Amino acid sequence: GVACAGEGMGASCAYTHDGNDIVGTCYGADAASLACIANCDAAAGTWCANPNSTCQATGVIGEAEFRRHVEYIVKEGWEVVSTSQLVDWLEEKSTLPERSVVFHFDNGWLDTLEVAMPALRESGMAGTCYVISDPTAAASRGEPAGVRTSTEGVVYKPFLTWNHVIELLEAGWEVGAHSATHPPLGDTLLQDGELAVLSEIDGVVEVTESQMGRSVRVVSTERYSDDYPVPPDYLSLIHI
C-alpha cells in the first residue's frame, strides 16, 4: 500500500494506481507502519489491493448472517466438534454425534478473533483457524500484509498476530497450518517443483508449532490448481 504519512489509523486516504484515483483507509499496527489500503466496499468495511475488485467473494458473509447460522445450528441440535475429532472419525478411530458440524476459518484474518470467536463462545462453541505463517509473522511485527485468494485477488486486511493465535488456543480453538504464502500448490509444483510445495507445507507447520508451543495436527492448503489434478498424497494432509 501507499504510505499514510501524518494520518491516523482508520483515516481516509487516496492515491493513484494505473491512472485510477483510489480511495482507501489507513491501516497498520502503529503510525510508522500505516499504509493506504484500497476500499473495495467502504460500506461493508472490506479492504483489498485490487482497485477493480467488487469484493463480493464467494462465501463471504457479515457478522449478522454468521450469527444467524450459529443460532440455526443451536436450534436444530447440531453439536460442534473439532477438526481433530472429525479426522479421528474419518480414520474410524472414534465416533461422532449424529448431528456434528465443524467450523473452519481460513487465512487467519483478525476478524476470526474479533467477530467469529465471540459469536461462537456465546453458544459454547469453538472453531478451527488455519493460519498463513508469513502474513501472521508480518502482523506480529506490526506490518501490513496481503495474500492472493482465489475469489478476491490480492487482499490486504488485518491478520492475526501470533499472540492472537495463542488467545484462540486458550479459548479452546484448534489451530492448523494453511501454507506460508497461500499459493495454488499446483502452480507452485509446476513452476518451482516439489521442494517448493513441501516448503509451503512443512515450513508453515514448523513455524506455527514453534510460535504456539504445541504440535500442529491439521493442515489445510489453498486450492491446488484449475489445470493440475490434486495428487492423493496432498488431498488431505494430517501432520503426525
Side-chain angles (χ1 to χ4, degrees):
V2 179
C4 278
E7 302 294 340
M9 178 72 160
S12 295
C13 56
Y15 63 95
T16 300
H17 178 82
D18 289 342
N20 297 312
D21 293 328
I22 308 301
V23 176
T25 300
C26 292
Y27 158 66
D30 51 45
S33 65
L34 288 177
C36 186
I37 307 302
N39 290 341
C40 296
D41 184 351
T46 54
W47 300 335
C48 79
N50 179 358
N52 298 316
S53 171
T54 61
C55 281
Q56 294 177 345
T58 302
V60 175
I61 62 173
E63 179 179 357
E65 182 66 18
F66 176 67
R67 286 181 174 274
R68 283 195 289 272
H69 289 183
V70 174
E71 291 170 2
Y72 175 84
I73 287 170
V74 172
K75 179 182 177 182
E76 296 298 319
W78 289 80
E79 184 171 337
V80 175
V81 298
S82 70
T83 304
S84 288
Q85 287 176 287
L86 176 62
V87 170
D88 286 341
W89 175 77
L90 290 170
E91 295 183 338
E92 300 182 346
K93 295 179 180 178
S94 65
T95 60
L96 289 177
E98 183 176 350
R99 288 194 161 195
S100 296
V101 62
V102 182
F103 281 102
H104 281 179
F105 300 86
D106 282 359
N107 301 345
W109 305 125
L110 182 59
D111 56 20
T112 301
L113 178 78
E114 295 184 339
V115 177
M117 187 181 78
L120 291 178
R121 183 172 53 199
E122 290 171 11
S123 297
M125 301 174 179
T128 299
C129 179
Y130 290 98
V131 297
I132 310 169
S133 59
D134 280 12
T136 303
S140 300
R141 296 190 300 268
E143 301 170 0
V147 295
R148 180 175 296 280
T149 72
S150 59
T151 52
E152 296 170 278
V154 179
V155 179
Y156 279 83
K157 60 186 286 188
F159 280 88
L160 297 168
T161 66
W162 290 118
N163 285 337
H164 291 145
V165 171
I166 298 300
E167 287 185 51
L168 289 175
L169 291 171
E170 292 175 345
W173 280 54
E174 186 167 21
V175 174
H178 194 41
S179 80
T181 63
H182 207 246
L185 289 184
D187 295 342
T188 301
L189 180 62
L190 291 174
Q191 295 168 11
D192 303 313
E194 189 171 59
L195 288 179
V197 173
L198 294 176
S199 176
E200 283 286 342
I201 298 169
D202 291 343
V204 68
V205 168
E206 181 179 348
V207 169
T208 305
E209 288 182 337
S210 173
Q211 293 293 334
M212 295 194 311
R214 64 182 70 184
S215 62
V216 170
R217 188 180 180 200
V218 290
V219 178
S220 170
T221 62
E222 168 66 334
R223 65 183 179 85
Y224 213 72
S225 175
D226 291 336
D227 304 316
Y228 196 84
V230 181
D233 290 345
Y234 295 141
L235 186 59
S236 179
L237 294 168
I238 305 170
H239 186 65
I240 305 300

